[in-house]
């Protein structure tokens, strides 16, 4: 079989980068596939910290599989086509390793799929290493650990599965780091928002979801000071409206998440604010509202929006 590209979703985070790098290695060692881990965007500051810490070169960025002369791909940390490579409908999806909902996904041929409701795609890949009796290189253990820490906010998010705690401990040992110390340093590395433009800020970690015929953009930024982000509300709202106009989003929901106190402020603009308010049983004031205890887009925002928009 010719080369297979392995990649996570657009606007890649630490789990998208870590799970794809680790699975590309595993696929070569265990299954004899000719794989290359690539990315659908440049790593954010948190992921750049991770790559530098473990001495791993950032995967090269690709925009089209066909432009690379590749017709077969493997997806990690996503499955929805609108979150994937631009020509995803024109290539063969050989396999998927993911921990999200399955939506807007259809293939012409059978494929390998590993879907589990755990804290990260990296958690799944690590267990696949163990099942295949393939030794985990130190740097890949570090990348998978980082993916798990990022997606679960150091095992504090409700997306954390019971098995993730043991996975984190084992990966931390393999990576040679103290879980708590490294995890906090890593998360803080991703909270430097002051130097970012509003356009960059709303696109750091953003995904599009098709909800009852509406393209809803849901973005998330992590911070240690929500008010510091809200102080830039005017420019953030201008960037959101420009993004909506340019991309046809009906609605844009931005989670501003306090990683220390595990709460979020929701800033929302669009055509269906009644549905956004109904989803979280709150009232937007000046386009934003506090959402206590919310840190997970996957579990505490998208399902609620989906139910409200479909209601």
């Amino acid at each position: 079989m010719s080369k297979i590209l392995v990649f996570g979703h657009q606007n890649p985070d630490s789990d998208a980068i870590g799970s794809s790098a680790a699975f590309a290695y595993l696929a070569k060692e265990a299954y004899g596939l000719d794989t290359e881990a690539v990315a659908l965007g440049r790593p954010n500051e948190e992921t750049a910290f991770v790559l530098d810490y473990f001495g791993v070169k950032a995967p090269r960025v690709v925009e089209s599989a066909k432009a690379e002369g590749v017709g077969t791909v493997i997806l990690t940390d996503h499955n929805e086509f609108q979150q994937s490579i631009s020509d995803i409908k024109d290539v063969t999806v050989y396999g998927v390793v993911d921990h999200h909902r399955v939506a807007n996904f259809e293939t012409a041929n059978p494929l390998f799929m590993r879907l589990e409701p755990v804290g990260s795609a990296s958690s799944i890949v690590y267990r696949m290493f163990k099942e295949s009796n393939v030794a985990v290189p130190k740097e890949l253990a570090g990348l998978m650990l980082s993916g798990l820490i990022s997606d679960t906010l150091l095992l504090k998010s409700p997306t954390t599965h019971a098995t993730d705690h043991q996975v984190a401990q084992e990966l931390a040992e393999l990576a040679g780091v103290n879980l708590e110390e490294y995890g906090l340093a890593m998360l803080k590395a991703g909270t430097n928002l002051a130097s970012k433009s509003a356009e960059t800020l709303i696109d750091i970690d953003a995904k599009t979801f098709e909800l009852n015929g509406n393209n809803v953009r849901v973005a998330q930024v992590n911070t240690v000071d929500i008010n510091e982000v809200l102080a830039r509300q005017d420019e953030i709202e201008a960037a959101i409206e420009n993004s909506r106009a340019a991309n046809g989003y009906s609605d844009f929901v931005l989670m501003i998440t306090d990683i220390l106190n595990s709460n979020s402020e929701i800033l929302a603009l669009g055509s269906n604010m009644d549905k956004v308010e109904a989803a979280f049983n709150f009232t937007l004031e000046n386009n934003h509202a506090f959402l206590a205890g919310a840190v997970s887009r996957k579990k505490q925002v998208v399902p609620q929006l989906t139910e409200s928009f479909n209601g």
Side-chain angles (χ1 to χ4, degrees):
M1 180 177 289
S2 57
K3 180 183 285 188
I4 300 174
L5 295 183
V6 184
F7 49 80
H9 50 75
Q10 299 170 14
N11 297 318
D13 55 15
S14 296
D15 192 33
I17 297 291
S19 61
S20 58
F23 190 76
Y25 177 90
L26 176 64
K28 286 181 179 179
E29 296 296 311
Y31 317 132
L33 299 178
D34 181 13
T35 53
E36 180 190 0
V38 295
L40 304 187
R42 295 173 61 85
N44 58 35
E45 284 192 342
E46 176 193 278
T47 309
F49 171 89
V50 171
L51 294 169
D52 181 68
Y53 190 98
F54 292 104
V56 178
K57 183 180 179 181
R60 65 188 185 93
V61 176
V62 302
E63 297 182 357
S64 162
K66 290 291 188 180
E68 297 289 325
V70 174
T72 305
V73 301
I74 292 174
L75 314 183
T76 72
D77 199 30
H78 76 295
N79 65 79
E80 297 188 46
F81 278 7
Q82 73 272 16
Q83 298 172 8
S84 198
I85 201 163
S86 60
D87 54 352
I88 185 65
K89 293 182 180 179
D90 301 322
V91 297
T92 298
V93 180
Y94 186 87
V96 176
V97 180
D98 193 18
H99 67 128
H100 294 93
R101 72 174 193 174
V102 178
N104 303 320
F105 181 81
E106 181 178 313
T107 64
N109 301 302
L111 72 161
F112 293 97
M113 292 192 76
R114 181 73 174 257
L115 307 175
E116 297 180 13
V118 295
S120 68
S122 293
S123 303
I124 304 170
V125 176
Y126 172 62
R127 283 197 293 276
M128 295 176 77
F129 267 90
K130 296 179 71 173
E131 292 164 7
S132 301
N133 292 314
V134 174
V136 183
K138 179 178 179 179
E139 67 275 11
L140 292 182
L143 264 58
M144 287 187 283
L145 173 65
S146 301
L148 176 54
I149 290 171
S150 180
D151 271 21
T152 64
L153 288 180
L154 196 49
L155 306 175
K156 293 179 181 177
S157 168
T159 58
T160 308
H161 190 266
T163 60
D164 286 323
H165 295 272
Q166 182 63 33
V167 167
Q169 292 293 341
E170 292 179 11
L171 285 172
E173 183 175 348
L174 289 169
V177 298
N178 177 283
L179 176 60
E180 293 294 328
E181 292 178 2
Y182 170 75
L184 188 57
M186 188 199 98
L187 291 174
K188 285 186 175 179
T191 64
N192 180 22
L193 305 178
S195 62
K196 293 180 173 62
S197 68
E199 290 76 14
T200 298
L201 188 148
I202 66 169
D203 204 43
I204 291 172
D205 183 7
K207 294 181 178 179
T208 305
F209 299 89
E210 194 280 317
L211 304 181
N212 197 20
N214 298 277
N215 283 325
V216 181
R217 188 74 161 171
V218 184
Q220 184 173 24
V221 293
N222 292 335
T223 182
V224 293
D225 187 351
I226 287 177
N227 289 328
E228 184 179 278
V229 180
L230 286 177
R232 303 174 60 187
Q233 183 174 346
D234 288 347
E235 62 174 309
I236 291 172
E237 289 189 357
I240 287 174
E241 291 292 22
N242 288 337
S243 181
R244 288 184 60 223
N247 298 287
Y249 304 136
S250 64
D251 304 272
F252 199 115
V253 177
L254 174 64
M255 291 181 70
I256 307 168
T257 301
D258 182 342
I259 65 170
L260 298 181
N261 297 303
S262 299
N263 297 306
S264 289
E265 191 80 13
I266 301 295
L267 175 61
L269 294 169
S271 306
N272 298 286
M273 291 301 95
D274 57 328
K275 296 186 184 298
V276 173
E277 290 181 324
F280 307 113
N281 193 29
F282 62 26
T283 300
L284 293 166
E285 296 184 7
N286 190 23
N287 299 325
H288 65 90
F290 184 69
L291 197 58
V295 296
S296 170
R297 172 175 52 197
K298 181 177 74 172
K299 202 160 189 175
Q300 295 172 297
V301 172
V302 173
Q304 290 79 357
L305 287 172
T306 300
E307 182 178 358
S308 182
F309 272 75
N310 288 337

